[in-house]
Amino acid sequence: MSTVGQKEVKEPLIRMMKRDSIPARTAWLIRIAAVILALIVCAFAIVAITKLDPFQVYVGIIDGAIGNSRRTWVTIRDILVLLGIAIALTPAFKMKFWNIGAEGQVLMGGLASAALMIYVGDKVPNWLLLITIFVASTVAGMVWGLIPAFFKSYFNTNETLFTLMMNYVAMQIITYCIVFWESPAGSNTVGVINAAKRAGWFPQILGSTYGLNVIMVLLLTVGMFLYLKYTKQGYEISVVGDSQNTARYAAINVKKVIIRTMVISGGICGLMGSIIVSGASHTISTSTAGGRGFTAIIVAWMSKFNPFAMILVSALLVFMQEGSIQIASQYGLNENASELITGIILFFLIGCEFFVNYKVEFRKKQKGVI
Amino acid sequence: MDQANAIELKNITKRFGKVIANEGVNLTLKKGEILSILGENGSGKTTLMNMLSGIYMPDEGQIFMDGKEVSIHSPKDALDLKIGMIHQHFKLIDILTAAENIILGLPGSHVLKTAQIEEEIKKIIESYGFDLNPSQKIYDMSVSQKQTVEIIKVLYRGADVLILDEPTAVLTPQETDKLFAILRNMRESGKSIIIITHKLQEVLDISDRVAVLRKGKYMGSVNTQEATVGGLTEMMVGEKITLDIKRNDPVDPQLRLKVDKLTVKNMEGIKVVNEVTFTSNSGEILGIAGIAGSGQKELLEAIAGLEKIEDGKVIYHACDGKEIILSDLSPEGIKNQGVNYSFVPEDRLGMGLVGNMDITDNMMLRSYRNGKSIFTDRKAPKKLALDIIQELGVVTPGVTTPVRRLSGGNVQKVLVGREIACNPNVLMVAYPVRGLDINSSYMIYNLLSDQKEQGCAVICVIEDLDVLIELCDRIIVLCNGKITGTLDARKTTKEEVGILMTKDTKEGE
């Protein structure tokens, strides 16, 4: 009776086990492998559409992203925007406040700076105008972050829906303003603001149009890293994010922390709006944020809220986007090609987290004698 | 009497990462017997049973049922093999009736034949002597009725082997007796029953045989008739232990905390703490006794400013004679008033600690505000963390391990260690030894005694009445949120406390 033998005691083919802990190096190897796989699949996707040979595709992508100094700077500029918004979202998400209203907060910041450029553009010196723009756009973003935070902390409204709705309100306000700011008349767009005098435009710094963008976003990145890791307020954010009960137990004023953190998050989003409008596009439209308020959420989460990891993630995403836009225009494809690429990369990057958290074992061929 | 084996486990091993939950366990369950599985927390009782009920799969070893090897991949497989488990936490849907919960998930016709189903359920109820109305909604039920639904659910599915995970933890002594009577009826009708518990007296009352686990290993089994409390403890712990709690007489007790007609309502508007009045003195341990859920948690949280107080006052008498009314203040306000109290809440990871943070950062929870700098200082908390790890023997891979990765007992040591390190004037602890092994439990009891000797006013909620009577100076007994008695711990008996715990003061809500 004791040796019933090898009967159909089946073991599942694949078993998943939650990992207890994983060495940081293995985790990063998994992630790097995911990136490489993503690049390979991207290439195949493009090859399938364009019938190019894969090598040419890579060359095309690299050429498109950093092929000449103009393209390189456009890539850098867009990396900075995505990075900046991700940085802005980080404190909110670390607090488990689902701020999906970065689009709206960025738009309101952009709106504030566009308004100042249009109405005050030729009345004050440029440095003063720029400072005013920074302050005003930050405040505009703060207000857009404060409103849902206030309702969350005092009436326990759902912040996800609230912040999402605020995006549409922001878009409608911009649509409304475009009616007044239309240029040329009838175009239904604002056009380049102050094209001649460049009032309210970022000045050339370090020999580059986008020098100021680089400095500002990098300062924000380092600042956010220090804020979250080493300050008392950053500590409070982590506690509230983990358990509001524990926060109350530790005599933390949860309402205050929620509001303060969302003001910071919204404020930085607003500032990013001014960097986009004054520092890059010099115009405003409902697509000024261009969905980057949403992509930034993924950047922040994938980087595990580490500001430095965000640099890498946003760089990878933007690099591939710019590269594929170039390929798309070269071969007469529409902009969906670049979205396809983004989708593939995100699929692999998010998917690989499964392997970081779980160990997958296949059925052993033979029952091992132990 | 030679009974056939219902279930036989051979060499079962289960690992979680590096942790070995069960190692080479051999266990048999005979047909028509009640088997108790005894072991300290973390000895692998629940893991072992979860492998029988299909929640986990063993890494090594075999399971035989009626002599045939089986493999159980899911709870459905377990039920197909007629094994049913009643978990500690009920899995019922509140707005459905008992009958609806019982048939939930079962195949059947598309039309719900309620009358027929209730008839079938009534048959089960009658044959074992349950007390339940199948058409009653779950939200109208007491905890023990809910447990009855869970048991019938398993029986309705035709289980022959029943596994109950700590079924008595939530029951009053009377309800426990009723449950045991039903279990005996089931045994008479040929069911095999495994009951997990850590209350030794119950083990001796109900079971035919006791199997003991220690640190994931099977230590053997004894027939209950031949077992003694002392012998079982030794099997569980692995050594003879002397269980002494030191208790000196209070020195110069002074009024520290006065709770006056405190009333707290829960979310449904029911008074969970009802006009509770008591005082707590320095140099004295005040024990709170009561069946689980009698308002102990809400009472302590209300004093700490974490529960909304409906009515009544909590007054703190500072050492310099100043009186501070705590009931008007938020936790922040209490802190700003300089009231030095410590609180070990029942929900350790959900309230006392931050699960995702390491020990150092958890130490900071109390002290991070120190200093004027906007930056946090991690030096002192780190030193405190190392001290606590050393002094209380916290088992952890290191100070940087998130506390949620530690075992329950170690989590508790971290929390108690931090709260005591604040040198509080008032120390409130709820269930301080839940999940701790016997040695650590006694270490904690003696830490509370030390605090008392240093002049702290200690208020503690402890489930084990024997300990409560041995450790405390005074005891108040709660029943349904009301105080049913204040006792001198040195003169009272367990029976007296037990009667007060169930003394139903049935005078309206």
Short mmCIF file of all heavy atoms in Angstrom, two decimals, chain A residues 1-2 4 7 9-10 12 15 20 229-232 235-236 238-239 242-243 245-246 248-253 370, chain B residues 69 73 306 331-332 343 350-351 353-354 356-357 361 364-366 368-371 373-376 378 405 418-419:
data_model
loop_
_atom_site.label_atom_id
_atom_site.label_comp_id
_atom_site.label_asym_id
_atom_site.label_seq_id
_atom_site.Cartn_x
_atom_site.Cartn_y
_atom_site.Cartn_z
N MET A 1 0.81 -1.20 0.00
CA MET A 1 0.00 0.00 0.00
C MET A 1 0.86 1.26 0.00
O MET A 1 0.49 2.29 -0.52
CB MET A 1 -0.88 0.00 1.26
CG MET A 1 -2.28 0.44 0.90
SD MET A 1 -2.88 1.66 2.00
CE MET A 1 -4.18 0.83 2.85
N SER A 2 2.05 1.10 0.56
CA SER A 2 2.85 2.30 0.68
C SER A 2 3.40 2.77 -0.67
O SER A 2 3.57 3.96 -0.88
CB SER A 2 4.02 2.04 1.64
OG SER A 2 4.75 0.93 1.17
N VAL A 4 2.30 3.22 -3.95
CA VAL A 4 1.19 3.22 -4.89
C VAL A 4 1.71 3.40 -6.31
O VAL A 4 1.08 3.05 -7.28
CB VAL A 4 0.17 4.33 -4.54
CG1 VAL A 4 -1.01 4.30 -5.47
CG2 VAL A 4 -0.28 4.14 -3.10
N LYS A 7 1.32 6.94 -10.31
CA LYS A 7 0.04 7.09 -10.97
C LYS A 7 -0.22 8.55 -11.29
O LYS A 7 0.69 9.38 -11.19
CB LYS A 7 -1.08 6.49 -10.13
CG LYS A 7 -0.75 6.49 -8.64
CD LYS A 7 -1.94 6.16 -7.84
CE LYS A 7 -3.08 7.02 -8.25
NZ LYS A 7 -3.72 7.80 -7.29
N VAL A 9 -0.70 11.27 -10.30
CA VAL A 9 -0.62 12.40 -9.38
C VAL A 9 0.02 13.52 -10.15
O VAL A 9 1.22 13.62 -10.25
CB VAL A 9 0.22 12.05 -8.15
CG1 VAL A 9 0.31 13.25 -7.24
CG2 VAL A 9 -0.40 10.89 -7.43
N LYS A 10 -0.81 14.35 -10.74
CA LYS A 10 -0.28 15.35 -11.67
C LYS A 10 0.24 16.56 -10.92
O LYS A 10 -0.33 16.99 -9.92
CB LYS A 10 -1.36 15.76 -12.65
CG LYS A 10 -2.68 15.91 -11.92
CD LYS A 10 -3.84 15.99 -12.84
CE LYS A 10 -5.08 15.64 -12.05
NZ LYS A 10 -6.06 16.46 -11.75
N PRO A 12 1.26 20.54 -11.65
CA PRO A 12 0.99 21.50 -12.73
C PRO A 12 2.25 21.77 -13.54
O PRO A 12 3.36 21.68 -13.02
CB PRO A 12 0.53 22.75 -11.99
CG PRO A 12 0.98 22.57 -10.58
CD PRO A 12 1.06 21.12 -10.33
N ARG A 15 4.38 26.52 -12.29
CA ARG A 15 3.95 26.97 -10.98
C ARG A 15 4.52 28.33 -10.73
O ARG A 15 5.67 28.60 -11.05
CB ARG A 15 4.64 26.18 -9.89
CG ARG A 15 4.30 24.95 -9.60
CD ARG A 15 5.22 24.66 -8.42
NE ARG A 15 4.81 23.34 -8.07
CZ ARG A 15 4.96 22.82 -6.88
NH1 ARG A 15 5.52 23.50 -5.95
NH2 ARG A 15 4.56 21.65 -6.64
N ASP A 20 10.26 35.74 -2.07
CA ASP A 20 10.40 36.33 -0.76
C ASP A 20 11.12 37.66 -0.89
O ASP A 20 10.67 38.71 -0.51
CB ASP A 20 11.17 35.36 0.12
CG ASP A 20 11.00 35.73 1.56
OD1 ASP A 20 9.93 36.26 1.89
OD2 ASP A 20 11.93 35.49 2.33
N LYS A 229 13.13 61.46 0.47
CA LYS A 229 13.95 60.53 1.23
C LYS A 229 14.42 61.09 2.57
O LYS A 229 14.53 60.35 3.54
CB LYS A 229 15.16 60.12 0.38
CG LYS A 229 15.75 58.81 0.85
CD LYS A 229 16.63 58.23 -0.21
CE LYS A 229 17.45 57.19 0.39
NZ LYS A 229 17.57 56.02 0.57
N TYR A 230 14.67 62.37 2.62
CA TYR A 230 15.34 62.87 3.82
C TYR A 230 14.56 63.89 4.64
O TYR A 230 14.99 64.27 5.71
CB TYR A 230 16.71 63.47 3.44
CG TYR A 230 17.66 62.43 2.92
CD1 TYR A 230 18.01 62.38 1.58
CD2 TYR A 230 18.18 61.47 3.78
CE1 TYR A 230 18.86 61.39 1.10
CE2 TYR A 230 19.02 60.49 3.32
CZ TYR A 230 19.37 60.45 1.98
OH TYR A 230 20.21 59.49 1.53
N THR A 231 13.44 64.39 4.16
CA THR A 231 12.76 65.40 4.96
C THR A 231 11.65 64.78 5.80
O THR A 231 11.18 63.69 5.52
CB THR A 231 12.14 66.52 4.10
OG1 THR A 231 11.06 65.95 3.37
CG2 THR A 231 13.16 67.13 3.16
N LYS A 232 11.25 65.55 6.82
CA LYS A 232 10.17 65.08 7.68
C LYS A 232 8.87 65.00 6.90
O LYS A 232 8.05 64.10 7.10
CB LYS A 232 10.02 66.03 8.87
CG LYS A 232 11.22 65.95 9.81
CD LYS A 232 11.16 66.97 10.92
CE LYS A 232 12.37 66.80 11.83
NZ LYS A 232 12.46 67.85 12.85
N TYR A 235 8.81 61.91 4.90
CA TYR A 235 8.52 60.76 5.78
C TYR A 235 7.02 60.67 6.04
O TYR A 235 6.43 59.59 5.98
CB TYR A 235 9.29 60.94 7.09
CG TYR A 235 9.10 59.84 8.09
CD1 TYR A 235 9.70 58.61 7.92
CD2 TYR A 235 8.28 60.03 9.20
CE1 TYR A 235 9.52 57.59 8.83
CE2 TYR A 235 8.09 59.02 10.12
CZ TYR A 235 8.71 57.80 9.93
OH TYR A 235 8.51 56.79 10.84
N GLU A 236 6.41 61.83 6.29
CA GLU A 236 4.96 61.83 6.53
C GLU A 236 4.21 61.30 5.32
O GLU A 236 3.23 60.56 5.44
CB GLU A 236 4.48 63.25 6.87
CG GLU A 236 4.85 63.67 8.28
CD GLU A 236 4.49 65.11 8.59
OE1 GLU A 236 4.19 65.87 7.65
OE2 GLU A 236 4.52 65.48 9.78
N SER A 238 5.22 59.10 3.17
CA SER A 238 5.34 57.63 3.13
C SER A 238 4.40 56.99 4.14
O SER A 238 3.78 55.97 3.85
CB SER A 238 6.76 57.18 3.46
OG SER A 238 7.66 57.84 2.65
N VAL A 239 4.31 57.57 5.33
CA VAL A 239 3.46 56.96 6.36
C VAL A 239 2.00 57.03 5.93
O VAL A 239 1.28 56.04 5.98
CB VAL A 239 3.66 57.67 7.73
CG1 VAL A 239 2.69 57.11 8.75
CG2 VAL A 239 5.08 57.50 8.20
N ASP A 242 1.23 54.52 3.30
CA ASP A 242 1.18 53.12 3.70
C ASP A 242 -0.08 52.83 4.50
O ASP A 242 -0.74 51.82 4.27
CB ASP A 242 2.43 52.78 4.53
CG ASP A 242 2.71 51.30 4.51
OD1 ASP A 242 2.06 50.58 5.29
OD2 ASP A 242 3.54 50.86 3.72
N SER A 243 -0.41 53.67 5.44
CA SER A 243 -1.59 53.42 6.25
C SER A 243 -2.03 54.72 6.92
O SER A 243 -1.29 55.29 7.72
CB SER A 243 -1.26 52.35 7.30
OG SER A 243 -2.14 52.47 8.39
N ASN A 245 -4.32 54.99 9.08
CA ASN A 245 -4.52 54.74 10.50
C ASN A 245 -3.23 54.91 11.27
O ASN A 245 -3.20 55.48 12.35
CB ASN A 245 -5.04 53.32 10.71
CG ASN A 245 -6.55 53.31 10.76
OD1 ASN A 245 -7.16 54.32 11.10
ND2 ASN A 245 -7.15 52.19 10.41
N THR A 246 -2.14 54.36 10.71
CA THR A 246 -0.85 54.51 11.37
C THR A 246 -0.49 55.98 11.46
O THR A 246 0.04 56.44 12.46
CB THR A 246 0.24 53.74 10.61
OG1 THR A 246 -0.18 52.40 10.44
CG2 THR A 246 1.55 53.76 11.36
N ARG A 248 -2.50 58.56 11.66
CA ARG A 248 -3.26 59.20 12.72
C ARG A 248 -2.71 58.80 14.08
O ARG A 248 -2.61 59.60 15.00
CB ARG A 248 -4.74 58.81 12.62
CG ARG A 248 -5.41 59.38 11.39
CD ARG A 248 -6.93 59.31 11.50
NE ARG A 248 -7.39 57.99 11.91
CZ ARG A 248 -8.22 57.78 12.92
NH1 ARG A 248 -8.68 58.78 13.63
NH2 ARG A 248 -8.59 56.56 13.23
N TYR A 249 -2.36 57.52 14.18
CA TYR A 249 -1.77 57.00 15.41
C TYR A 249 -0.50 57.77 15.77
O TYR A 249 -0.25 58.08 16.93
CB TYR A 249 -1.48 55.52 15.21
CG TYR A 249 -0.58 54.87 16.22
CD1 TYR A 249 -1.09 54.36 17.40
CD2 TYR A 249 0.78 54.74 15.97
CE1 TYR A 249 -0.27 53.75 18.31
CE2 TYR A 249 1.61 54.13 16.88
CZ TYR A 249 1.08 53.64 18.06
OH TYR A 249 1.91 53.03 18.95
N ALA A 250 0.29 58.10 14.73
CA ALA A 250 1.55 58.81 14.99
C ALA A 250 1.32 60.31 15.09
O ALA A 250 2.26 61.09 14.99
CB ALA A 250 2.54 58.50 13.87
N ALA A 251 0.06 60.71 15.27
CA ALA A 251 -0.28 62.11 15.44
C ALA A 251 0.06 62.95 14.22
O ALA A 251 0.42 64.11 14.33
CB ALA A 251 0.36 62.69 16.70
N ILE A 252 -0.04 62.36 13.05
CA ILE A 252 0.14 63.12 11.82
C ILE A 252 -1.24 63.62 11.40
O ILE A 252 -2.21 62.88 11.43
CB ILE A 252 0.74 62.23 10.71
CG1 ILE A 252 2.18 61.86 11.06
CG2 ILE A 252 0.68 62.93 9.36
CD1 ILE A 252 2.78 60.82 10.14
N ASN A 253 -1.29 64.90 11.01
CA ASN A 253 -2.55 65.45 10.54
C ASN A 253 -2.73 65.04 9.08
O ASN A 253 -2.17 65.63 8.16
CB ASN A 253 -2.51 66.97 10.69
CG ASN A 253 -3.82 67.60 10.34
OD1 ASN A 253 -4.62 67.04 9.59
ND2 ASN A 253 -4.06 68.77 10.91
N ILE A 370 15.50 13.06 -3.28
CA ILE A 370 16.12 13.97 -2.32
C ILE A 370 16.41 13.24 -1.01
O ILE A 370 15.57 12.51 -0.53
CB ILE A 370 15.21 15.18 -2.04
CG1 ILE A 370 14.89 15.89 -3.36
CG2 ILE A 370 15.93 16.17 -1.14
CD1 ILE A 370 13.69 16.79 -3.29
N GLU B 69 -3.21 7.62 -2.87
CA GLU B 69 -2.53 8.91 -2.94
C GLU B 69 -3.37 9.89 -3.73
O GLU B 69 -3.93 9.55 -4.78
CB GLU B 69 -1.15 8.77 -3.60
CG GLU B 69 -0.41 10.09 -3.59
CD GLU B 69 1.03 9.99 -4.05
OE1 GLU B 69 1.43 8.89 -4.47
OE2 GLU B 69 1.72 11.01 -3.99
N HIS B 73 -5.13 20.34 -5.64
CA HIS B 73 -4.64 21.57 -6.28
C HIS B 73 -5.44 22.80 -5.90
O HIS B 73 -4.98 23.91 -6.06
CB HIS B 73 -4.70 21.43 -7.80
CG HIS B 73 -3.68 20.49 -8.33
ND1 HIS B 73 -3.81 19.87 -9.53
CD2 HIS B 73 -2.54 20.05 -7.80
CE1 HIS B 73 -2.78 19.08 -9.72
NE2 HIS B 73 -2.00 19.18 -8.67
N LEU B 306 -8.10 58.37 18.78
CA LEU B 306 -8.23 57.84 17.43
C LEU B 306 -9.67 57.46 17.09
O LEU B 306 -9.97 57.14 15.96
CB LEU B 306 -7.33 56.61 17.27
CG LEU B 306 -5.84 56.90 17.42
CD1 LEU B 306 -5.06 55.62 17.60
CD2 LEU B 306 -5.33 57.65 16.21
N PRO B 331 -5.05 63.25 18.15
CA PRO B 331 -3.74 62.72 18.54
C PRO B 331 -2.67 63.79 18.47
O PRO B 331 -1.77 63.86 19.32
CB PRO B 331 -3.49 61.62 17.50
CG PRO B 331 -4.82 61.25 16.99
CD PRO B 331 -5.69 62.46 17.10
N GLU B 332 -2.77 64.65 17.46
CA GLU B 332 -1.81 65.74 17.30
C GLU B 332 -1.89 66.68 18.50
O GLU B 332 -0.88 67.09 19.06
CB GLU B 332 -2.15 66.48 16.01
CG GLU B 332 -0.97 67.10 15.32
CD GLU B 332 -1.43 67.93 14.13
OE1 GLU B 332 -2.65 68.02 13.88
OE2 GLU B 332 -0.57 68.49 13.45
N PHE B 343 1.03 53.66 23.18
CA PHE B 343 -0.13 52.85 22.86
C PHE B 343 0.31 51.74 21.91
O PHE B 343 0.89 51.99 20.87
CB PHE B 343 -1.20 53.74 22.22
CG PHE B 343 -2.44 53.01 21.80
CD1 PHE B 343 -2.91 51.90 22.49
CD2 PHE B 343 -3.16 53.45 20.70
CE1 PHE B 343 -4.07 51.25 22.10
CE2 PHE B 343 -4.32 52.79 20.30
CZ PHE B 343 -4.76 51.69 20.99
N GLY B 350 -1.43 47.63 10.77
CA GLY B 350 -2.37 48.58 10.20
C GLY B 350 -2.45 49.88 10.98
O GLY B 350 -2.99 50.86 10.50
N MET B 351 -1.91 49.90 12.18
CA MET B 351 -2.01 51.11 12.97
C MET B 351 -0.72 51.43 13.73
O MET B 351 -0.30 52.57 13.78
CB MET B 351 -3.17 51.01 13.95
CG MET B 351 -3.35 52.25 14.77
SD MET B 351 -4.79 52.20 15.83
CE MET B 351 -6.01 52.94 14.76
N LEU B 353 2.42 50.26 13.20
CA LEU B 353 3.67 50.28 12.44
C LEU B 353 3.37 50.54 10.96
O LEU B 353 2.23 50.44 10.52
CB LEU B 353 4.39 48.94 12.55
CG LEU B 353 4.85 48.50 13.94
CD1 LEU B 353 5.25 47.05 13.92
CD2 LEU B 353 6.00 49.36 14.42
N VAL B 354 4.42 50.86 10.21
CA VAL B 354 4.28 51.01 8.77
C VAL B 354 4.93 49.78 8.14
O VAL B 354 6.15 49.62 8.18
CB VAL B 354 4.96 52.29 8.27
CG1 VAL B 354 4.75 52.46 6.78
CG2 VAL B 354 4.40 53.49 9.02
N ASN B 356 5.66 48.68 5.22
CA ASN B 356 6.66 48.71 4.14
C ASN B 356 7.97 49.37 4.55
O ASN B 356 8.90 49.43 3.77
CB ASN B 356 6.10 49.42 2.91
CG ASN B 356 5.11 48.54 2.18
OD1 ASN B 356 5.32 47.34 2.08
ND2 ASN B 356 4.04 49.12 1.70
N MET B 357 7.99 49.91 5.78
CA MET B 357 9.22 50.57 6.20
C MET B 357 10.06 49.62 7.05
O MET B 357 9.54 48.68 7.64
CB MET B 357 8.88 51.80 7.03
CG MET B 357 8.32 52.92 6.22
SD MET B 357 8.11 54.36 7.26
CE MET B 357 7.52 55.54 6.06
N ASP B 361 13.01 53.12 10.33
CA ASP B 361 12.00 54.11 9.98
C ASP B 361 10.76 53.97 10.85
O ASP B 361 10.06 54.95 11.10
CB ASP B 361 11.63 53.99 8.50
CG ASP B 361 12.64 54.70 7.62
OD1 ASP B 361 13.73 55.01 8.14
OD2 ASP B 361 12.35 54.94 6.43
N MET B 364 11.21 55.81 13.99
CA MET B 364 11.06 57.26 13.83
C MET B 364 9.63 57.73 13.97
O MET B 364 9.38 58.92 14.15
CB MET B 364 11.54 57.65 12.43
CG MET B 364 13.02 57.87 12.34
SD MET B 364 13.55 57.93 10.63
CE MET B 364 12.45 59.11 9.93
N LEU B 365 8.69 56.81 13.85
CA LEU B 365 7.28 57.20 13.83
C LEU B 365 6.94 58.08 15.02
O LEU B 365 6.14 59.01 14.93
CB LEU B 365 6.42 55.93 13.84
CG LEU B 365 5.04 56.02 13.22
CD1 LEU B 365 5.08 56.53 11.81
CD2 LEU B 365 4.37 54.67 13.28
N ARG B 366 7.55 57.80 16.15
CA ARG B 366 7.28 58.57 17.36
C ARG B 366 8.16 59.81 17.46
O ARG B 366 7.80 60.78 18.09
CB ARG B 366 7.52 57.69 18.59
CG ARG B 366 6.41 56.72 18.87
CD ARG B 366 5.27 57.44 19.52
NE ARG B 366 4.21 56.51 19.88
CZ ARG B 366 2.96 56.88 20.09
NH1 ARG B 366 2.63 58.15 19.98
NH2 ARG B 366 2.05 56.01 20.41
N TYR B 368 10.15 61.35 14.85
CA TYR B 368 10.72 62.01 13.67
C TYR B 368 10.62 63.52 13.73
O TYR B 368 11.34 64.23 13.05
CB TYR B 368 10.06 61.48 12.39
CG TYR B 368 8.70 62.05 12.09
CD1 TYR B 368 8.56 63.14 11.24
CD2 TYR B 368 7.55 61.52 12.67
CE1 TYR B 368 7.31 63.67 10.96
CE2 TYR B 368 6.31 62.03 12.40
CZ TYR B 368 6.19 63.11 11.55
OH TYR B 368 4.96 63.65 11.29
N ARG B 369 9.72 64.04 14.58
CA ARG B 369 9.56 65.49 14.65
C ARG B 369 10.69 66.16 15.43
O ARG B 369 10.85 67.38 15.34
CB ARG B 369 8.25 65.83 15.34
CG ARG B 369 7.04 65.53 14.51
CD ARG B 369 5.79 65.98 15.26
NE ARG B 369 4.59 65.54 14.60
CZ ARG B 369 4.10 64.31 14.70
NH1 ARG B 369 4.74 63.42 15.44
NH2 ARG B 369 3.01 63.96 14.07
N ASN B 370 11.44 65.38 16.20
CA ASN B 370 12.48 65.98 17.04
C ASN B 370 13.41 66.88 16.25
O ASN B 370 13.79 66.56 15.13
CB ASN B 370 13.31 64.89 17.73
CG ASN B 370 12.47 64.06 18.69
OD1 ASN B 370 11.31 64.41 18.93
ND2 ASN B 370 13.04 62.99 19.22
N GLY B 371 13.78 67.98 16.86
CA GLY B 371 14.71 68.89 16.21
C GLY B 371 13.99 69.84 15.29
O GLY B 371 12.86 69.61 14.87
N SER B 373 15.27 71.02 12.32
CA SER B 373 15.62 70.87 10.91
C SER B 373 14.46 70.30 10.12
O SER B 373 13.61 69.58 10.66
CB SER B 373 16.83 69.93 10.82
OG SER B 373 16.88 69.34 9.56
N ILE B 374 14.38 70.65 8.82
CA ILE B 374 13.33 70.05 8.01
C ILE B 374 13.71 68.61 7.63
O ILE B 374 12.90 67.86 7.12
CB ILE B 374 13.04 70.86 6.73
CG1 ILE B 374 14.27 70.90 5.82
CG2 ILE B 374 12.55 72.26 7.05
CD1 ILE B 374 13.92 71.19 4.39
N PHE B 375 14.96 68.26 7.88
CA PHE B 375 15.39 66.91 7.53
C PHE B 375 15.24 65.97 8.72
O PHE B 375 15.27 66.40 9.86
CB PHE B 375 16.85 66.91 7.05
CG PHE B 375 17.00 67.62 5.75
CD1 PHE B 375 17.55 68.88 5.69
CD2 PHE B 375 16.58 67.02 4.57
CE1 PHE B 375 17.67 69.55 4.48
CE2 PHE B 375 16.70 67.67 3.36
CZ PHE B 375 17.25 68.94 3.32
N THR B 376 15.05 64.70 8.44
CA THR B 376 14.92 63.73 9.50
C THR B 376 16.30 63.29 9.98
O THR B 376 17.26 63.28 9.20
CB THR B 376 14.16 62.49 9.03
OG1 THR B 376 14.76 62.08 7.80
CG2 THR B 376 12.72 62.79 8.80
N ARG B 378 18.24 60.10 11.32
CA ARG B 378 18.05 58.66 11.41
C ARG B 378 19.05 57.99 12.36
O ARG B 378 19.01 56.78 12.53
CB ARG B 378 18.16 58.02 10.02
CG ARG B 378 16.85 58.07 9.26
CD ARG B 378 16.93 57.27 7.98
NE ARG B 378 15.63 57.15 7.34
CZ ARG B 378 15.01 58.12 6.69
NH1 ARG B 378 15.56 59.31 6.61
NH2 ARG B 378 13.83 57.91 6.14
N ARG B 405 7.78 41.89 6.61
CA ARG B 405 8.40 40.60 6.33
C ARG B 405 8.72 39.81 7.60
O ARG B 405 9.07 38.65 7.54
CB ARG B 405 9.70 40.80 5.55
CG ARG B 405 9.49 41.17 4.11
CD ARG B 405 10.75 40.90 3.32
NE ARG B 405 10.69 41.50 2.01
CZ ARG B 405 10.04 40.96 0.99
NH1 ARG B 405 9.45 39.81 1.15
NH2 ARG B 405 10.01 41.57 -0.17
N ARG B 418 9.39 49.84 20.90
CA ARG B 418 9.37 51.28 20.59
C ARG B 418 8.52 52.02 21.60
O ARG B 418 8.89 53.08 22.10
CB ARG B 418 8.81 51.51 19.20
CG ARG B 418 8.84 52.98 18.81
CD ARG B 418 8.08 53.25 17.54
NE ARG B 418 6.65 53.10 17.76
CZ ARG B 418 5.78 52.85 16.79
NH1 ARG B 418 6.19 52.69 15.55
NH2 ARG B 418 4.50 52.73 17.06
N GLU B 419 7.36 51.48 21.92
CA GLU B 419 6.45 52.20 22.80
C GLU B 419 7.02 52.32 24.20
O GLU B 419 6.84 53.32 24.87
CB GLU B 419 5.09 51.51 22.82
CG GLU B 419 4.34 51.66 21.50
CD GLU B 419 4.19 53.12 21.09
OE1 GLU B 419 3.53 53.86 21.81
OE2 GLU B 419 4.75 53.51 20.05
#
